[in-house]
Amino acid sequence: MAMTPLIELTALFVAGDLVGLRAAAGWIPPAALLAACALLAPVLAGRSLSRRAVRLSFVLMGCAAGGSAARSAATDCRTGIPDGTVLDGTGLLEAGAAPGGRAVLVLEDVRIGGRRSDCTRSVRIRLPDLMDEALAGGHARFAGTWWRAEPAAGWPRPPDRSGTLSVRTIERSRADHAHVMSGIRDAAFSRVRTRFPNETPLAESLLLARRESLDVAVRDDFAAAGLAHLLAISGAHVGILAAMVVLLAGVLRMRPRASAMAATVIAVAYVVLLGAPAAAARAALQSIALLASRLAQRPADRLTLLAGAALVLTAGDPAAPLGAGFQLSFAGVYGLLVFGPPIARALPESWPRPLASALVPTLAATAATAPIAAWHFGLVSLIGPLSNLVAAPLLALAIPAMALSLAVGLVADPIAAFVAGGAETLLMMLRGVAAAAASMPASHAWVSSDAVTAAVVAAAAFLLCGPSLRQRFRPDPSRLDRPDRRARQVARAGVAAAILVGWPVLRPAGSLEIHAIDVGQGDAIAIRTPGGHWIVIDTGPASPTFDAGRQRVAPYLRSQGVRRIDLLVLTHPDMDHIGGARALFESFDVTTVMDPAVATGKDLYFETLGAARNAGRAWVAAESGRELDAGGVVIRVLAPDSALLDGLHEANDLSVVLRLEYGGFSGLFLGDAHEAIENRLVARHGVALASNLLKVGHHGSRTSTGDSLLVAVRPDLALISVGRRNRYGHPDPQVIARLRRYGVSVARTDESGSLVLRVRPDGSMRLFATR
């Protein structure tokens, strides 16, 4: 397909926008990048001076837009709220949320750190686990702690993602809404919850673009089945709604032009109601452009319409191209338009026409979106084309059924209840299709971002090496020699294969790995996220004759290909937990250090502080309520809390307790917490402590791992980091007996050496011993 001027200008604008975003984030000096843009644009342009000027202007406008957006994000009032600051006041709760869930709160009358602030922006909040009931939307009084989110390396973070407000108390003050649209949105959520009580999370996701209440296991099933796009409001949802309007208009005998206008207006209103997510906004913009072309009786190139939608969305929100939803939406439509026709021609003519018509769009969209999905989510669904054949018709029936039930409910509740029952049956079948497809052998593959990068670079090398190799192997372009052509293809394939083989992909992709490193009598846990981030919890002991950090932890991490530690957690200032920290500061780029931040007189702790300060490491306090997200792996700090920090306690009582959540898996890491701390955690969180993995506290001392903890956590596996023949007698036989009485499998570093637990998103675990 020929590249139209609008497509070229959109590509240049988006490229400039990305350059501006990256430059303003400080990755490369902005002046150097602007100069590169100015030099590159004329090269990409044609020979006409006027065309060069136009294209250069679009590159520079993109650079300016991206830079401005990045600077605006950096100076937003939300980004300036100090970590751990207490916020309290009133705000507007949008659509409410269940206990322990997430919601959006628009700050109104707020005090930040005890001082009144005019920061009236929206923030993400996490509601308390032990709330009595879900809150509806409306004005609410709140108090909580602000935990900043670290920005992604090299890219600006959207201001609404600057942090999370961990709410301690919240209560509704009045039900009215400051904005009409907010009230309409809240009413829509209330009606969906009332009308579809058995399938509320899925109904909210499919109708209202709200996935916070959707169970993690369900989301994982949809992703593994290649159906994740159904959970996000996209062009398919908007198209189904528009088709319903056109069908109704036909029943009412409206003229085609009037029905098209009505469908477009309603589709746009629906997208606005949802808050205009990227995929839905793209569909709405394309609908408007297509309607305009028809009213003007001028044919429109669909790729050009797609480029126009991308240009409008990027100009309105320069950070939009960084989002996975934006990329997947546009890539999917591009695949339909570009890959669809050749795929249709390649299918055997003997295949049934309905099957071929249904399979072509699925294959085309999958081919375009698979690399993007693999990069962002570490997953490639192999069964997606087949599962979509079954799920797409169910979705096409479920959405109209839900919409009809909500509409009819305004005038005839019994009929609406009957239709809602049918809609819930369709939703249940949709979940069943996702679960069945995800559970099939070889239905999906988990890949690392390293593997995706290697594949993309190899493909680019294969394509770009063509011209140069052509000149090398065939200097006379007039002679078409088959051996030369074969040699060129072999050489290009060789270049691509060399890149793939040489790329450092060091481990099975897509899995979470928890490494219990054998450091003797001490703790050192290393966690690798599917996205390649490394989190280290404690660093082992140090003494005049043995430094676990230098002799055990650092060599082990290097063998795993570690170059940077994104987060180093020092649970408490005892020698057997922080002794190796200095060696890690010297050996790796440690981005952030977290500890209880309690003054202690221990010399080793002061030395560790000094080493971190000299290395320029960021230092943050661990306190109950803090939450960190590392590419889908969520780390929640459960202890210590402020009540303990205010008093005098021994170091073990101040241990940082973490709960890790990834897909259907969770793990509880107790540091050296004693049974009294365990009981406090159980009283506060109850069954919310339930975890697949328990990293046993205090090396299995008899003062930890009590009955109340095991009843609440119900672990499948217990890891004990302990030294062989240690003088403390750890782990205590009573603790081992207690674990076995509760049916918990036990793995110990003193018996097996370093241990590796590999976890899939569905929660399945596999344990390896490296000794």
Side-chain angles (χ1 to χ4, degrees):
M1 293 186 180
M3 182 177 290
T4 64
L6 182 57
I7 296 176
E8 294 177 352
L9 295 178
T10 299
L12 291 173
F13 183 89
V14 172
D17 171 63
L18 295 176
V19 167
L21 288 169
R22 193 77 172 186
W27 190 59
I28 296 178
L33 288 174
L34 286 174
C37 290
L39 293 173
L40 180 62
V43 174
L44 296 178
R47 298 179 180 179
S48 170
L49 181 60
S50 60
R51 292 182 65 184
R52 292 185 180 184
V54 170
R55 297 184 182 194
L56 175 60
S57 66
F58 268 75
V59 173
L60 295 180
M61 283 191 296
C63 288
S68 176
R71 287 189 294 272
S72 176
T75 57
D76 188 276
C77 63
R78 290 165 289 188
T79 64
I81 302 176
D83 201 37
T85 301
V86 174
L87 276 67
D88 64 282
T90 61
L92 180 64
L93 184 64
E94 292 192 354
R102 300 177 183 275
V104 175
L105 181 72
V106 180
L107 303 177
E108 292 182 330
D109 183 13
V110 61
R111 293 184 301 173
I112 300 178
R115 296 183 178 182
R116 194 169 300 279
S117 171
D118 59 355
C119 187
T120 55
R121 303 293 180 88
S122 64
V123 297
R124 295 185 304 152
I125 66 171
R126 185 182 182 99
L127 298 173
D129 292 327
L130 301 181
M131 288 173 55
D132 294 332
E133 58 182 359
L135 286 176
H139 290 270
R141 289 187 291 271
F142 70 91
T145 304
W146 176 262
W147 301 117
R148 294 185 60 184
E150 292 298 321
W155 296 104
R157 184 182 294 276
D160 62 343
R161 300 278 178 173
S162 299
T164 301
L165 181 62
S166 180
V167 174
R168 294 194 303 272
T169 62
I170 186 169
E171 59 181 2
R172 197 174 184 183
S173 58
R174 62 182 193 273
D176 63 305
H177 289 266
H179 306 288
V180 175
M181 189 58 65
S182 178
I184 295 174
R185 198 174 290 136
D186 186 58
F189 276 101
S190 298
R191 291 185 64 81
V192 167
R193 295 188 186 110
T194 302
R195 188 61 65 192
F196 312 108
N198 299 321
E199 296 289 346
T200 294
L202 191 54
E204 287 182 345
S205 177
L206 294 177
L207 276 181
L208 302 173
R210 179 72 174 271
R211 293 192 292 174
E212 287 81 0
S213 59
L214 197 63
D215 189 82
V216 173
V218 174
R219 281 185 283 180
D220 290 341
D221 284 345
F222 272 79
L227 303 175
H229 60 283
L230 301 184
L231 300 178
I233 301 297
S234 63
H237 300 71
V238 177
I240 292 173
L241 177 63
M244 290 175 56
V245 176
V246 171
L247 181 62
L248 179 61
V251 173
L252 298 176
R253 298 182 181 277
M254 294 176 61
R255 294 181 178 180
R257 179 175 295 186
S259 65
M261 292 184 65
T264 301
V265 170
I266 292 177
V268 171
Y270 175 59
V271 171
V272 172
L273 171 67
L274 299 177
R282 186 266 310 156
L285 287 172
Q286 284 189 277
S287 299
I288 294 173
L290 188 59
L291 176 62
S293 69
R294 289 182 177 178
L295 292 177
Q297 296 184 349
R298 299 188 63 178
D301 177 71
R302 294 183 179 271
L303 272 179
T304 301
L305 294 181
L306 182 66
L311 182 60
V312 171
L313 291 179
T314 304
D317 180 10
L322 301 179
F326 181 99
Q327 297 168 17
L328 290 171
S329 175
F330 282 91
V333 178
Y334 179 86
L336 292 175
L337 298 177
V338 176
F339 302 150
I343 291 176
R345 291 191 295 268
L347 293 179
E349 295 183 0
S350 59
W351 284 22
R353 189 177 185 86
L355 175 62
S357 299
L359 193 58
V360 166
T362 300
L363 292 174
T366 300
T369 59
I372 299 174
W375 173 263
H376 285 285
F377 310 118
L379 180 146
V380 174
S381 177
L382 305 178
I383 202 172
L386 296 179
S387 61
N388 274 275
L389 290 178
V390 181
L394 293 175
L395 179 73
L397 293 173
I399 290 179
M402 289 189 289
L404 182 61
S405 174
L406 294 175
V408 173
L410 299 174
V411 293
D413 192 76
I415 298 177
F418 175 78
V419 177
E424 286 197 314
T425 301
L426 291 169
L427 295 177
M428 181 182 66
M429 294 172 64
L430 189 60
R431 282 196 298 106
V433 170
S439 63
M440 288 185 179
S443 62
H444 56 282
W446 297 94
V447 299
S448 68
S449 58
D450 285 339
V452 178
T453 302
V456 171
V457 172
F462 181 83
L463 295 174
L464 295 176
C465 285
S468 60
L469 290 174
R470 183 180 297 114
Q471 297 301 322
R472 179 183 298 273
F473 284 96
R474 194 181 65 185
D476 183 3
S478 64
R479 185 169 62 90
L480 182 61
D481 193 319
R482 184 176 297 274
D484 286 350
R485 183 171 56 188
R486 185 175 303 164
R488 290 197 307 274
Q489 297 298 335
V490 170
R492 294 169 69 185
V495 172
I499 294 174
L500 286 172
V501 173
W503 203 273
V505 182
L506 302 176
R507 56 190 51 79
S511 60
L512 171 76
E513 292 179 356
I514 300 174
H515 301 251
I517 305 173
D518 182 12
V519 292
Q521 184 63 17
D523 268 6
I525 305 291
I527 301 169
R528 182 193 184 273
T529 73
H533 300 286
W534 282 92
I535 301 166
V536 175
I537 305 174
D538 289 328
T539 60
S543 70
T545 58
F546 176 70
D547 185 334
R550 193 175 308 280
Q551 296 170 242
R552 297 280 182 87
V553 181
Y556 184 93
L557 294 178
R558 288 195 194 98
S559 72
Q560 300 296 316
V562 178
R563 296 294 178 268
R564 184 180 70 182
I565 298 173
D566 297 276
L567 176 66
L568 174 60
V569 181
L570 303 177
T571 59
H572 61 292
D574 276 355
M575 179 274 297
D576 58 340
H577 290 257
I578 68 170
R582 294 184 62 183
L584 296 193
F585 292 143
E586 297 169 1
S587 303
F588 302 96
D589 177 13
V590 180
T591 303
T592 304
V593 181
M594 177 192 292
D595 83 334
V598 177
T600 175
K602 297 183 178 182
D603 292 339
L604 180 60
Y605 182 66
F606 287 136
E607 293 172 6
T608 304
L609 283 175
R613 183 179 61 250
N614 295 337
R617 311 308 183 193
W619 196 285
V620 297
E623 185 178 358
S624 177
R626 178 184 291 277
E627 183 176 299
L628 303 173
D629 190 335
V633 177
V634 178
I635 304 289
R636 298 180 61 189
V637 180
L638 304 185
D641 57 35
S642 56
L644 280 176
L645 295 176
D646 291 339
L648 295 176
H649 299 272
E650 63 169 301
N652 289 341
D653 290 337
L654 303 175
S655 282
V656 178
V657 177
L658 304 174
R659 188 171 189 269
L660 179 148
E661 301 167 3
Y662 170 62
F665 171 84
S666 56
L668 188 64
F669 300 82
L670 289 170
D672 272 1
H674 287 168
E675 191 169 356
I677 304 302
E678 296 174 356
N679 293 336
R680 290 173 66 97
L681 292 172
V682 172
R684 173 173 296 180
H685 300 283
V687 295
L689 291 175
S691 302
N692 308 87
L693 169 69
L694 174 67
K695 186 274 165 187
V696 172
H698 205 190
H699 320 290
S701 164
R702 71 172 60 189
T703 61
S704 63
T705 321
D707 287 284
S708 63
L709 178 76
L710 294 176
V711 169
V713 178
R714 305 188 304 279
D716 300 311
L717 174 66
L719 285 181
I720 303 178
S721 182
V722 63
R724 289 177 288 279
R725 298 183 296 276
N726 64 86
R727 60 190 178 95
Y728 306 101
H730 295 161
D732 190 89
Q734 295 182 21
V735 172
I736 299 298
R738 195 178 303 137
L739 288 167
R740 289 175 176 167
R741 188 168 67 248
Y742 283 92
V744 183
S745 300
V746 178
R748 301 164 45 171
T749 57
D750 62 332
E751 294 179 345
S752 304
S754 295
L755 298 163
V756 181
L757 182 67
R758 189 164 294 145
V759 182
R760 292 294 190 186
D762 61 359
S764 60
M765 303 182 296
R766 190 175 180 186
L767 185 68
F768 302 86
T770 61
R771 188 171 68 185

